Amino acid sequence: MRFLSHVALFIFGVIVGLLVTKVPGLRIKPEANIAEIGNFGLGLIIALVLPLVVNRAIESRRRRGDIVADHIKAVRAGVASIHERFAATDTAPMDIGQTRLIVANIKELSTTLTLVKRGLARWGFRSTALDVLDRTTTALRSYKKAVTNRIPAKSFRPTTLEMMEESATYINLITSLEDLMDELQS
Amino acid sequence: MNSLEHMIRVATEFSKSPGARHRSDGEFSGEEFLESLLEPRFKLAQDARQKLTIDLDGTAGYATSFLEAAFGGLARKYGIEKVLAGLEFISHEEPSLVDEITEYIKEAKD
């Protein structure tokens, strides 16, 4: 409100300035007409209001980007945690509890990516962000396949080949997540 | 609208924690799901010329091994085209599951 009153006062001052030709004698300038004054005033208002609207939109997009980025960070942390647990099975077989936890975590990650996708579409991010997100979803699916395709419910010790496959799909997924973060922050 | 016999709600009719691939791997395996629920209901739906709807929501998640054994297993028995045409899925919690299952059906080999 204070800002607006200052703007109004400024506009008023400019209009008075336009109407006055000589100082110190106050005299109405005969050439000045109401259309010119209106045109100037409108231009001034647009010049003042437009940056405010644009800045607010940019700020709002940045906030939404931050929310999405937080979700992606959570996904990244979740994947890293699964990677650590999977790597640990190299020395100790995975038990039923670990298996279920991994499956549940992957479901959670998949759901988070779905929510992010809905957010991106609704909030009008660039289509390239959606492309990167689709790639990330595919990478998560490949990772899930590498991690859960062979695990039985009782105990599981991955072969060297399975460990390598897990590592490759893990790196691919992490890279996709980082690309997505970059895309949202650009 | 499908009748109840043309629908499977995995979480309530089978398990909230589906297991792995084979019965020998432990309880609630993909093999068990295929033999006890999926195949019998699929047959019923086929006889009635209806699609069988699978509601995948409400579980703790699905291992790839479970999905491949169940849906890939069904495709190996009845053929890829018939299974693709005869099933539909509900998966609000994890929408990408539908694409994943479709992939296993299409890749099913003897």
Side-chain angles (χ1 to χ4, degrees), chain A residues 4-17 40 44 48:
Chain A
L4 285 177
S5 66
H6 286 167
V7 171
L9 193 64
F10 175 67
I11 293 170
F12 177 74
V14 170
I15 291 169
V16 169
F40 177 78
L44 196 67
L48 286 167

Side-chain angles (χ1 to χ4, degrees), chain A residues 141 144-145, chain B residues 8 10 18 33 38 52-57 59 61-76 80 83-84 86-91 94-108:
Chain A
R141 203 189 304 165
K144 176 185 175 180
K145 202 169 178 178
Chain B
I8 297 174
V10 181
F33 176 69
L38 184 58
L52 175 64
T53 304
I54 320 280
D55 184 348
L56 299 159
D57 288 338
T59 71
Y62 297 88
T64 295
S65 51
F66 176 92
L67 296 174
E68 205 288 321
F71 298 101
L74 191 68
R76 280 187 282 277
I80 294 168
V83 170
L84 282 176
L87 294 182
E88 60 185 13
F89 300 95
I90 296 171
S91 184
E94 203 182 348
S96 64
L97 265 184
V98 180
D99 289 339
E100 197 182 332
I101 292 170
T102 305
E103 189 183 308
Y104 301 141
I105 293 171
K106 284 179 178 170
E107 287 175 357

